[in-house]
Amino acid sequence: AQADDPIALDGKNVRGAKKDEHPAPHLLSFRAHHNQETLLQVAVSEKTNEIPVAQALLPCLPVDGRIITADALHTQKNFMQCVDALGAKTVLTVKNNQPMLYADLTTYFADPHASFEQASTRDQHRGRIETRSLRVSSELNSYLTDWPLIQQVAELTRTVTSRKTGKTSHEVVYLITPLTALQASPLRLLEVVRGHWSIE
């Protein structure tokens, strides 16, 4: 994998592998965004085990200078610090498993006077039109003292319209990253998140 290719951390149950008494195995994978190469994959017994296992495996991977993306389960201070200590950066999703942080981000982006940079992309594939709009700010850095590594926060709105039915769905997610505005523009962050979703 190229040295600048971000790595996605993704855990999922293996489809169709469930046997009568035994649940389907849960696999934790590290995969390169662009070439989809699996760098490392291990079975973990339960979803809750993903967090320590992921942190233990990070030093075995060529992460220096790269971006690691992961779902909200891994939005943990320890994970960010662990990645940072290895010379890499994270782009993480914030959901209700971090209620204080989630509330702060929701409140900030709901404010009509909030200051942010923005970018958007529009794709057409599999009979749907997908628009992603990202609003990014570094105004919260000094306020989010519990998360000392954060350099930018973002709100991502994903709108999907079916060309067949005309139905539209909206999804809003929040992101945090220790990448500065100089290291990652809104468009670059959109590209990184899109790379992660293509793996999921």
Side-chain angles (χ1 to χ4, degrees):
Q2 308 147 261
D4 60 347
D5 193 352
I7 298 171
L9 164 59
D10 189 33
K12 56 166 58 90
N13 288 326
V14 181
R15 282 187 196 147
K18 187 178 187 299
K19 302 254 167 55
D20 307 330
E21 301 292 304
H22 306 283
H26 188 79
L27 293 178
L28 187 62
S29 325
F30 289 89
R31 287 171 72 188
H33 281 207
H34 300 309
N35 65 13
Q36 307 269 311
E37 179 194 348
T38 299
L39 305 174
L40 187 62
Q41 187 166 284
V42 293
V44 286
S45 55
E46 273 165 32
K47 194 126 184 158
T48 47
N49 285 344
E50 260 192 49
I51 298 167
V53 171
Q55 288 179 29
L57 291 174
L58 278 168
C60 310
L61 291 155
V63 298
D64 188 28
R66 293 168 82 163
I67 296 171
I68 311 283
T69 59
D71 60 23
L73 179 71
H74 296 279
T75 303
Q76 311 281 343
K77 288 168 210 169
N78 285 354
F79 184 71
M80 283 183 91
Q81 284 159 344
C82 186
V83 171
D84 190 71
L86 293 167
K89 301 289 182 194
T90 43
V91 174
L92 301 171
T93 307
V94 179
K95 290 189 178 162
N96 281 323
N97 63 328
Q98 293 294 350
M100 294 289 287
L101 183 59
Y102 184 79
D104 288 336
L105 300 186
T106 312
T107 304
Y108 181 77
F109 285 106
D111 182 347
H113 306 295
S115 162
F116 52 81
E117 297 285 315
Q118 59 188 337
S120 62
T121 58
R122 190 168 185 266
D123 289 314
Q124 294 192 39
H125 57 96
R126 296 188 193 144
R128 8 177 254 190
I129 300 164
E130 189 164 330
T131 307
R132 291 193 182 97
S133 307
L134 191 72
R135 304 196 298 166
V136 186
S137 178
S138 49
E139 297 289 314
L140 287 183
N141 299 357
S142 55
Y143 174 73
L144 298 172
T145 49
D146 274 4
W147 295 78
L149 292 173
I150 292 178
Q151 290 296 324
Q152 296 191 91
V153 298
E155 177 194 65
L156 175 65
T157 306
R158 191 181 179 200
T159 307
V160 180
T161 306
S162 162
R163 296 180 70 177
K164 203 171 173 181
T165 65
K167 274 192 182 154
T168 297
S169 67
H170 296 278
E171 182 192 10
V172 177
V173 297
Y174 296 95
L175 305 165
I176 55 170
T177 182
L179 290 161
T180 64
L182 284 172
Q183 290 172 315
S185 65
L187 208 54
R188 173 65 177 141
L189 286 175
L190 263 180
E191 202 181 274
V192 169
V193 174
R194 197 165 155 207
H196 182 81
W197 273 343
S198 73
I199 280 171
E200 284 198 346

